[in-house]
Amino acid sequence: MAIKNLLPIALLGLVHFSPMAMAQGSACAPGGTFDLSNWKLQLPTGKAGSPDEISASGLKGCNGYKSEYFFTSPDDGSIVMKVPGSPSSSQCVTTPNSLHCRTELRESSPSKWSPTASKNRLFGDLIVKQIVDNRVVVGQIHIDDSISTKPVCELYYSSTGDLTMGVQQCRTCSQKTFTVGHVPVGQRFTYEIRYEGGILSVSLNGQAFQKLDTFQLNNPDSYFKAGNYNQGNGPTEVHFFAIRVTH
């Protein structure tokens, strides 16, 4: 079993921050207090159809990458991921196969895995600090790029605090939406998404896992993503206290 934590380096295995970690975080890039060695970062900046990406090595350490869209909060020590809006409202940049902008971490080591394996889990501990309209994807599983441009599933958090999971019904068609729960905007919560043994499931705040139909997907090789994938026109801001991947 391999566990990859995006947690304060001094506090691996915990989700709370000491005053020392918070003070360091206010001066450091996120890679100075969080282990980002298994992720790359996708940003809402760059050229049309070609957003900026930062590799794991570029994220490493206090002097690693930080910007107005990706930084360590001086208030709570979390990783802050911000998106200014949509291409029409803010001129942010999208990937070639999306209409929406993101500040989002993409699993890079491993770059893909099989859903039939015994353990594939993504855990997030976060607050959605700002959401003006529509919804934001805070966690997802994406089909390997060599197979499809579609996700397996996306965990949506709406401007009303509702959480839903959109699951792709096939590798080229549309999603079916499942209700997951409700968390008021500005309230901290956790989620865990699993796709293992061929079964997709999700849990909110440590509650029982809800199994989700994967329809005609047929267990394609996949990878995890977590962050702020803005689906609306207004700005969004998401703070992550922990992201943990287990294989």
Side-chain angles (χ1 to χ4, degrees):
M1 178 180 70
I3 300 177
K4 288 166 291 233
N5 293 282
L6 195 168
L7 288 163
I9 291 172
L11 299 172
L12 284 174
L14 302 176
V15 296
H16 298 293
F17 292 80
S18 70
M20 181 179 296
M22 291 174 64
Q24 184 184 23
S26 65
C28 284
T33 49
F34 290 80
D35 179 8
L36 301 176
S37 59
N38 298 291
W39 302 88
K40 69 177 180 180
L41 178 66
Q42 298 175 312
L43 290 159
T45 57
K47 298 179 181 178
S50 182
D52 293 326
E53 290 190 347
I54 311 298
S55 67
S57 60
L59 295 171
K60 185 178 180 180
C62 275
N63 295 320
Y65 177 82
K66 62 182 177 180
S67 71
E68 62 182 306
Y69 301 119
F70 183 78
F71 58 94
T72 309
S73 170
D75 300 317
D76 59 27
S78 64
I79 293 181
V80 181
M81 301 188 204
K82 300 178 75 172
V83 176
S86 67
S88 61
S89 67
S90 70
Q91 273 115 43
C92 59
V93 176
T94 72
T95 56
N97 298 301
S98 177
L99 300 175
H100 309 291
C101 301
R102 73 189 79 205
T103 300
E104 188 177 40
L105 291 163
R106 190 260 200 225
E107 190 178 16
S108 59
S109 179
S111 61
K112 64 180 179 180
W113 38 262
S114 172
T116 61
S118 61
K119 200 160 281 187
N120 300 305
R121 301 176 181 182
L122 170 65
F123 171 86
D125 179 358
L126 67 153
I127 295 174
V128 178
K129 285 278 191 175
Q130 182 182 26
I131 181 168
V132 176
D133 62 342
N134 207 288
R135 54 190 183 172
V136 57
V137 174
V138 295
Q140 64 169 300
I141 300 173
H142 201 285
I143 300 172
D144 181 59
D145 301 337
S146 66
I147 300 172
S148 174
T149 61
K150 300 290 188 179
V152 170
C153 63
E154 294 175 305
L155 182 60
Y156 296 100
Y157 184 92
S158 77
S159 57
T160 61
D162 293 326
L163 283 131
T164 56
M165 183 76 91
V167 181
Q168 206 71 20
Q169 296 181 80
C170 73
R171 299 181 186 189
T172 58
C173 55
S174 61
Q175 294 182 353
K176 181 177 176 62
T177 300
F178 297 88
T179 298
V180 174
H182 179 86
V183 175
V185 175
Q187 181 173 308
R188 184 170 170 175
F189 67 96
T190 66
Y191 69 76
E192 185 169 343
I193 303 170
R194 298 180 178 182
Y195 195 15
E196 53 194 33
I199 297 172
L200 176 66
S201 61
V202 61
S203 169
L204 180 65
N205 286 328
Q207 297 173 357
F209 278 84
Q210 176 183 352
K211 292 183 180 180
L212 304 173
D213 194 342
T214 52
F215 306 101
Q216 300 174 45
L217 284 175
N218 196 28
N219 298 324
D221 284 351
S222 303
Y223 56 86
F224 286 120
K225 303 187 78 175
N228 179 347
Y229 183 23
N230 189 349
Q231 306 292 294
N233 290 314
T236 46
E237 180 177 335
V238 181
H239 291 216
F240 273 90
F241 298 91
I243 300 173
R244 183 169 62 248
V245 168
T246 310
H247 291 298

